[in-house]
Amino acid sequence: MARAFLVVMDSLGIGAAPDAGAYFNGDLPDTGANTLGHIAAACAAGQAEEGRSGPLRLPHLDALGLGAALRLASGARGEGLDADPEGLWGVAEEVSRGKDTPSGHWELAGLPVPFDWEYFPKTKPCFPDDVVAEVKRLAGVEGILGNEHASGTEIIARLGEAHQRTGWPICYTSIDSVFQIAAHEETFGLERLLKLCEGLAPMLHARRVGRVIARPFVGGPGDYRRTVNRHDYALAPPGPTLLDLVQGAGRQTYTIGKIRDIFAGRGVGHAVTGADADLMGHLAEHVAGAEEGSLTFANFVEFDSLYGHRRDVSGYARHLEWFDAALGPILKGLRPDDLMILTADHGNDPTWPGTDHTRERVPVVAKGPYSGQIGIRAFADVGASVAAHLGIGFDGPGQSFLTGNDVGL
C-alpha cells in the first residue's frame, strides 16, 4: 500500500504572489519579495559567504525541479539552480487571507481559512487591558514586559535581564495573529510558562487569535538563547484536514516538528519534535519504517525562525545546503510507490526590509511514481494530491495534480 510524506520547508517562497501588494513589511508591500531567488542571487554575487561560499548548491532539490519552479513562479534565473527536472514540479498559490504558519499549513492540508484572523495593532501598548489582566492573573505577577510588536530574539536580549529581576513575562506579537510569551526556563520555569500559555489560549482563540506561543529561553545578560522547548497553542482547524481524513480512513499519521501544534493535535497519531537536525533523523526513520498506507507530515522551521526573521542570508543558504545534502540519502530510501512532496507555507525573504513573513508563491516538488510539470496550482491541491495517492477522496476544495481528477478535501 502506498505511503505519503509531506515536507514543509518553512518559509521557502519563490516569488511574490499575485496579491502580494496587499501584504506589507512596515510600509513596503511584498511585491518584490523572492526568498529563494534573492538568496541564490546573493550567493552567486559573493554576498553570502559566512560559513559557506559560492553559488547556492542544492543538487537534490534542483533535480526534482526547484530551480524550474522558481523560474515558473517569478522568472528569476536562480543562479546554480538550472537542472532539467526529473521529478514532479510546479508552483502553489495561497487563497487564505494571511501569510502565517496556520493559514499556510491548513490550506496545504486542504482547508483554506474561512475567516479573518485577529491581529494586534502596531502600537505600544498593543494588547487589550483585559488580556493583560488575564496574563497577570494566570502568572501571579503584578505586570508584564514588552506589550509590543517585536522580534523574539531582540526583545529577549533587550528585556531578559528585567524579566529575571522582576519575574514578569515578556509579551509580544508580530504581523501574524499571535500572542507570544517569553520566559526564562530556570528563573521563571518552563512548566509555569507552558501552563500560563495554555490557560490564556481559550480567551484569545475565542477572538480568532491564531496562536499563543510559549518562547522559553536560557542564559544570562548578553547571552540569552531560545530553546527547542517552544510550544504553540493553536486554534483548532474549523473543519477536517488531510490529517483527519487519513486518520479517519484507519491509516496511521505521523507528524514531525511543529505540525502537531499547528493542527492542535487533531488527526495526529505519533508526533516528534526537536531541532531541525533531529527532525531530519526522524524523517529518515519514518521513510525506513513508516507503515503501509500512512502519512508523514513534517515541518522544518529553522529556515524561518533562525534565518528568515533574522534576515540572515548566509545562514539561510547554509541551512538550505545542509537540508539538501541530508535529503539525498532519504530520497534514495523511498520505496517505488512512495510519494514525497516538498513545499513551503509562505515566504520570509532575508533580503527584504523588516523581519516578517513575505506573501509569496511556493515550490511544489516531488519524488515518487509521477513526473512532469503541474503548472501553477492552489495550496489545497497539495493535500488533494496526497489524498489521491493514498486512495482517500472527500468533497471540498482541491484538485489532485497527480491524475487530473478532482479529489475533494
Side-chain angles (χ1 to χ4, degrees):
M1 188 181 294
R3 305 182 302 171
F5 302 85
L6 177 54
V7 179
V8 178
M9 300 172 288
D10 200 303
S11 82
L12 188 63
I14 53 173
D19 60 357
Y23 297 84
F24 293 82
N25 265 266
D27 296 327
L28 184 70
D30 289 341
T31 49
N34 191 329
T35 301
L36 179 60
H38 288 159
I39 291 170
C43 290
Q47 298 169 351
E49 299 288 302
E50 297 176 15
R52 61 163 309 282
S53 185
L56 189 62
R57 294 179 289 274
L58 306 174
H60 300 104
L61 288 167
D62 194 28
L64 293 178
L66 184 62
L70 173 64
R71 292 188 290 276
L72 176 63
S74 64
R77 175 187 167 196
E79 293 85 344
L81 303 175
D82 52 9
D84 291 328
E86 301 171 358
L88 188 76
W89 65 276
V91 175
E93 295 176 353
E94 186 174 9
V95 300
S96 300
R97 296 183 293 272
K99 52 178 179 176
D100 53 88
T101 295
S103 295
H105 283 77
W106 290 4
E107 192 167 328
L108 287 170
L111 182 68
V113 180
F115 53 75
D116 289 325
W117 299 102
E118 178 69 22
Y119 300 96
F120 296 109
K122 287 191 174 180
T123 57
K124 186 175 180 180
C126 66
F127 300 128
D129 291 343
D130 62 335
V131 173
V132 173
E134 183 66 358
V135 173
K136 292 192 293 184
R137 185 188 72 80
L138 290 168
V141 296
E142 295 299 317
I144 67 169
L145 300 171
N147 203 343
E148 61 188 283
H149 281 244
S151 158
T153 52
E154 181 277 328
I155 200 169
I156 289 169
R158 172 162 50 91
L159 297 178
E161 187 174 5
H163 161 70
Q164 288 192 282
R165 184 178 67 252
T166 64
W168 294 2
I170 303 170
C171 302
Y172 62 102
T173 189
S174 71
I175 198 171
D176 291 340
S177 180
V178 295
F179 190 103
Q180 305 189 73
I181 306 178
H184 200 281
E185 284 195 0
E186 296 164 0
T187 59
F188 189 88
L190 177 59
E191 291 305 315
R192 182 183 174 198
L193 171 61
L194 296 177
K195 185 177 180 181
L196 167 60
C197 292
E198 183 179 17
L200 182 65
M203 178 184 194
L204 293 180
H205 290 167
R207 304 180 186 197
R208 289 184 173 166
V209 175
R211 290 174 291 163
V212 176
I213 306 177
R215 291 285 196 173
F217 63 95
V218 295
D223 187 33
Y224 289 118
R225 304 174 307 280
R226 295 199 295 197
T227 75
V228 297
N229 294 319
R230 162 184 171 163
H231 190 82
D232 294 29
Y233 295 87
L235 178 67
T241 72
L242 178 64
L243 287 164
D244 297 309
L245 303 180
V246 172
Q247 194 174 70
R251 312 286 186 84
Q252 185 58 260
T253 59
Y254 304 92
T255 64
I256 297 175
K258 64 179 186 176
I259 298 297
R260 176 179 58 187
D261 289 350
I262 294 168
F263 290 87
R266 276 252 311 271
V268 176
H270 297 278
V272 291
T273 59
D276 276 10
D278 300 321
L279 301 183
M280 188 63 77
H282 290 304
L283 181 60
E285 292 169 1
H286 285 63
V287 166
E291 68 183 59
E292 296 295 325
S294 63
L295 167 66
T296 298
F297 196 168
N299 170 281
F300 288 83
V301 72
E302 291 177 5
F303 298 109
D304 185 59
S305 62
L306 296 185
Y307 308 113
H309 286 300
R310 300 182 189 184
R311 296 305 189 244
D312 181 351
V313 180
S314 293
Y316 207 129
R318 283 197 314 273
H319 205 61
L320 279 169
E321 290 173 338
W322 162 79
F323 182 90
D324 186 87
L327 185 66
I330 292 174
L331 292 172
K332 290 181 180 178
L334 291 169
R335 302 172 189 173
D337 60 349
D338 286 341
L339 172 67
M340 178 176 285
I341 296 178
L342 298 112
T343 186
D345 53 341
H346 50 68
N348 199 343
D349 187 343
T351 74
W352 204 243
T355 61
D356 291 318
H357 297 155
T358 42
R359 178 76 166 186
E360 297 185 49
R361 289 169 163 165
V362 302
V364 179
V365 298
K367 182 173 182 180
Y370 319 94
S371 62
Q373 181 186 158
I374 62 172
I376 298 176
R377 308 294 298 236
F379 271 35
D381 292 354
V382 174
S385 300
V386 172
H389 178 72
L390 295 175
I392 299 169
F394 289 81
D395 293 332
Q399 293 183 330
S400 171
F401 45 66
L402 303 181
T403 64
N405 297 323
D406 288 0
V407 178
L409 285 174

